[in-house]
């Protein structure tokens, strides 16, 4: 009995781990595939006018946007002019290491997805060794997948999209003087980048939930029927 309990415990742990990794790989690959949206958001949101306005606010000598633009036109080599006239290019340069790193790990993420499927199969084996009953194993696996998928559907749909607001609150309370407008812009860029990956994961979790809910119900009634037969035989 103890060995069966341990086997079931290991099986359930491996099952949850495999699903977590499996779902996370979809989120990670979607984030990598959504890098073009990140770049576009930076280009659209970080306009020269916005950068100039923030610089003007931080300078003791107040200048108009037109004056700053004229100064940069006359002396484009002046410090800060490249960032002012083409901020998206500047931030693209800053993003290159991140983009390269994400592209490098993509094959590893795909490998992790394959590993999660192997772990899932192992979990089913351990659960079976803890029950020696295909129907009970089917019920336990279906019920666990259903609950885990439902949890992650809620998690990715409601908690992950709230990350930008959490970051915004943190930055707003930070001792570093970060212009409020810039915080809002960066949060908007980050939110745009997250939107598609969140939808991909939510749809995946919803599909898994809809598949394994009826399977859970089916195996529940089969398990109940099997228990009744065993009880009648015992009598």
């Amino acid at each position: 009995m103890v060995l069966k309990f341990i086997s079931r415990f290991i099986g359930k742990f491996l099952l949850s781990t495999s699903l977590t990794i499996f779902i996370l790989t979809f989120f990670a690959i979607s984030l990598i595939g959504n890098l073009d949206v990140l770049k576009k958001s930076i280009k659209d949101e970080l306009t020269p006018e916005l950068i100039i306005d923030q610089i003007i606010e931080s300078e003791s000598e107040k200048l108009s946007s037109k004056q700053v633009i004229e100064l940069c036109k006359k002396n484009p080599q002046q410090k800060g002019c490249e960032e002012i006239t083409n901020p998206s290019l500047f931030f693209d340069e800053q993003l290159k290491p991140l983009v390269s790193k994400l592209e490098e790990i993509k094959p590893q993420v795909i490998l992790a997805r394959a590993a999660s499927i192997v772990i899932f199969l192992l979990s089913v084996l351990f659960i079976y060794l803890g029950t020696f009953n295909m129907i009970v194993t089917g019920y336990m696996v279906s019920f666990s997948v259903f609950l885990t998928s439902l949890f992650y559907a809620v998690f990715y749909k409601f908690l992950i999209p709230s990350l930008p607001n959490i970051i915004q609150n943190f930055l707003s309370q930070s001792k570093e003087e970060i212009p409020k407008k810039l915080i809002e812009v960066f949060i908007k860029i980050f939110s745009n980048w997250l939107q598609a990956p969140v939808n991909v994961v939510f749809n995946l979790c919803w599909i898994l939930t809809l598949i394994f809910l009826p399977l859970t119900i089916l195996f529940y009634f089969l398990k109940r029927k099997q228990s009744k037969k065993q009880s009648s035989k015992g009598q």
Side-chain angles (χ1 to χ4, degrees):
M1 288 295 290
V2 176
L3 289 176
K4 283 187 176 182
F5 173 78
I6 293 171
S7 183
R8 287 196 301 271
F9 177 80
I10 293 171
K12 288 179 179 179
F13 173 76
L14 290 176
L15 183 63
S16 297
T17 302
S18 66
L19 281 172
T20 300
I21 295 171
F22 183 74
I23 292 168
L24 186 60
T25 59
F26 277 87
F27 184 69
I29 289 175
S30 188
L31 272 179
I32 296 169
N34 213 33
L35 284 171
D36 288 340
V37 171
L38 177 64
K39 293 176 184 177
K40 186 178 183 302
S41 293
I42 289 173
K43 187 176 181 180
D44 293 342
E45 299 297 333
L46 290 172
T47 60
E49 290 76 17
L50 174 67
I51 301 299
I52 291 169
D53 288 342
Q54 299 309 312
I55 291 172
I56 290 171
E57 284 183 13
S58 64
E59 293 290 336
S60 57
E61 294 183 8
K62 300 295 181 181
L63 297 172
S64 67
S65 299
K66 288 184 179 179
Q67 286 175 316
V68 174
I69 292 171
E70 285 300 320
L71 283 172
C72 284
K73 281 183 178 178
K74 290 178 182 177
N75 190 6
Q77 302 301 321
Q78 188 172 330
K79 186 179 179 181
C81 278
E82 186 178 357
E83 290 83 352
I84 288 171
T85 55
N86 198 348
S88 61
L89 180 63
F90 171 74
F91 283 102
D92 277 346
E93 289 295 323
Q94 303 303 311
L95 276 173
K96 274 185 180 178
L98 172 65
V99 173
S100 299
K101 189 67 179 176
L102 288 173
E103 290 292 348
E104 283 176 14
I105 67 170
K106 189 175 180 179
Q108 297 170 17
V109 175
I110 295 170
L111 188 63
R113 183 182 295 177
S116 71
I117 295 170
V118 174
I119 295 170
F120 177 81
L121 295 174
L122 279 174
S123 72
V124 175
L125 176 61
F126 272 103
I127 291 171
Y128 175 74
L129 291 174
T131 60
F132 287 107
N133 188 311
M134 289 299 296
I135 292 175
V136 175
T137 300
Y139 171 73
M140 292 178 72
V141 170
S142 299
F143 186 62
S144 295
V145 174
F146 163 70
L147 279 183
T148 306
S149 301
L150 186 61
F151 169 78
Y152 281 120
V154 174
F155 178 80
Y156 278 93
K157 189 65 177 178
F158 297 105
L159 295 182
I160 293 295
S162 67
L163 262 179
N165 293 329
I166 296 170
I167 295 169
Q168 185 173 8
N169 292 332
F170 174 77
L171 291 176
S172 298
Q173 295 171 4
S174 175
K175 293 179 181 179
E176 297 290 334
E177 292 186 3
I178 305 172
K180 186 177 179 181
K181 183 64 179 176
L182 276 181
I183 292 175
E184 290 174 357
V185 168
F186 282 118
I187 292 303
K188 188 176 180 182
I189 291 169
F190 188 52
S191 298
N192 290 340
W193 186 33
L194 281 178
Q195 188 175 358
V198 165
N199 289 336
V200 166
V201 173
F202 176 75
N203 290 336
L204 170 67
C205 293
W206 193 238
I207 290 167
L208 289 174
T209 302
L210 292 177
I211 290 171
F212 282 93
L213 175 58
L215 284 175
T216 300
I217 296 169
L218 174 64
F219 279 114
Y220 171 77
F221 283 109
L222 289 173
K223 183 170 74 77
R224 192 175 175 182
K225 187 178 179 181
Q226 187 181 67
S227 297
K228 284 182 179 179
K229 281 184 179 181
Q230 289 174 349
S231 297
S232 62
K233 283 181 181 179
Q235 292 174 358

